[in-house]
């Protein structure tokens, strides 16, 4: 199994390295490839943050199932809709049909335009919160960092910011 890392006792990294893509947006060289960052919080409600590029979906879902160990996914938080974050949303929806997709009004415009998804939506605005049990998520709208729908999610109990790609991607 490729790179499942505990960030804390209940927060996991489930992203993937892509060594097959050599140019970012067909322009900037990626000599070491690129990393798609995605995370899970396990609590009374389980949450997935962002997804990966569509070409890596199969391995991504295998990693998620391995961590959930029979549990279900309650929420998918979409901090950013660029395809390296959103490419697996349709497959996640198929794999977990009861999941709620958490995003803002702009997120859902992209979701419909790029993937035709109009169901399972849970809209949040700046400052809204979702309680997971021990963890609590708070949403901050950060438009144009770097697409119009971009937002960030702060987990208040463990004080972790899920920042999408605002600070670049980390190679693991
Ligand atoms: Fe981006």
């Amino acid at each position: 199994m490729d790179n499942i890392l505990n960030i804390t006792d209940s927060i996991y990294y489930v992203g993937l390295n892509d060594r097959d893509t050599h140019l970012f947006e067909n322009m900037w060289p990626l000599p070491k490839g690129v990393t798609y960052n995605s995370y899970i919080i396990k609590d009374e409600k389980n949450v997935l943050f962002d997804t990966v590029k569509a070409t890596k979906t199969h391995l991504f879902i295998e990693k998620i199932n391995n961590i959930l160990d029979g549990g279900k996914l309650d929420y998918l938080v979409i901090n950013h809709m660029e395809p390296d974050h959103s490419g697996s949303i349709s497959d996640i929806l198929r794999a977990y049909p009861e999941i709620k997709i958490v995003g803002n009004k702009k997120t859902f415009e992209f979701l419909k335009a790029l993937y035709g998804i109009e169901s399972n939506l849970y809209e949040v605005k700046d400052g809204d919160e979702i309680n997971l049990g021990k963890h609590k998520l708070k949403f901050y709208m950060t438009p144009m960092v770097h697409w119009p729908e971009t937002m960030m999610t702060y987990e208040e109990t463990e004080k972790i910011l899920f920042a999408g790609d605002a600070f670049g991607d980390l190679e693991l």
Side-chain angles (χ1 to χ4, degrees):
M1 185 56 58
D2 174 77
N3 290 341
I4 291 179
L5 298 177
N6 278 75
I7 306 293
T8 70
D9 286 347
S10 50
I11 302 183
Y12 301 80
Y13 169 80
V14 288
L16 286 162
N17 291 329
D18 178 352
R19 309 283 185 199
D20 312 317
T21 299
H22 302 295
L23 287 176
F24 179 63
E25 294 184 348
N26 283 322
M27 204 180 296
W28 293 282
L30 297 167
K32 294 182 179 175
V34 64
T35 298
Y36 308 124
N37 294 325
S38 175
Y39 303 89
I40 286 179
I41 296 180
K42 280 179 83 171
D43 202 322
E44 287 167 32
K45 304 279 187 189
N46 297 321
V47 184
L48 176 66
F49 293 89
D50 289 333
T51 71
V52 301
K53 193 172 169 183
T55 52
K56 299 287 175 185
T57 297
H58 182 75
L59 186 53
F60 180 56
I61 290 183
E62 204 177 298
K63 289 179 79 166
I64 293 168
N65 286 338
N66 199 34
I67 286 178
L68 292 177
D69 196 22
K72 63 173 191 159
L73 266 185
D74 298 282
Y75 298 106
L76 165 59
V77 172
I78 300 294
N79 284 319
H80 184 27
M81 275 298 294
E82 201 168 10
D84 53 342
H85 297 249
S86 68
S88 304
I89 295 176
S90 301
D91 287 299
I92 290 291
L93 194 51
R94 265 189 288 278
Y96 302 97
E98 290 172 21
I99 199 167
K100 289 189 173 66
I101 302 174
V102 180
N104 57 65
K105 196 167 177 288
K106 275 270 175 238
T107 317
F108 297 151
E109 289 173 19
F110 278 106
L111 202 55
K112 183 179 175 189
L114 295 179
Y115 305 110
I117 296 172
E118 295 181 84
S119 63
N120 297 58
L121 308 183
Y122 185 102
E123 186 178 326
V124 291
K125 296 185 174 67
D126 195 57
D128 282 356
E129 296 180 338
I130 293 179
N131 239 309
L132 306 176
K134 292 191 182 103
H135 297 82
K136 191 169 19 165
L137 305 179
K138 189 162 185 172
F139 302 95
Y140 292 93
M141 302 302 121
T142 54
M144 299 320 294
V145 185
H146 85 249
W147 274 17
E149 86 299 354
T150 308
M151 64 182 199
M152 297 185 191
T153 308
Y154 184 60
E155 198 293 296
E156 295 187 335
T157 304
E158 302 204 64
K159 304 188 187 326
I160 292 177
L161 180 69
F162 296 89
D165 63 5
F167 302 106
D169 289 337
L170 174 69
E171 187 179 340
L172 294 166

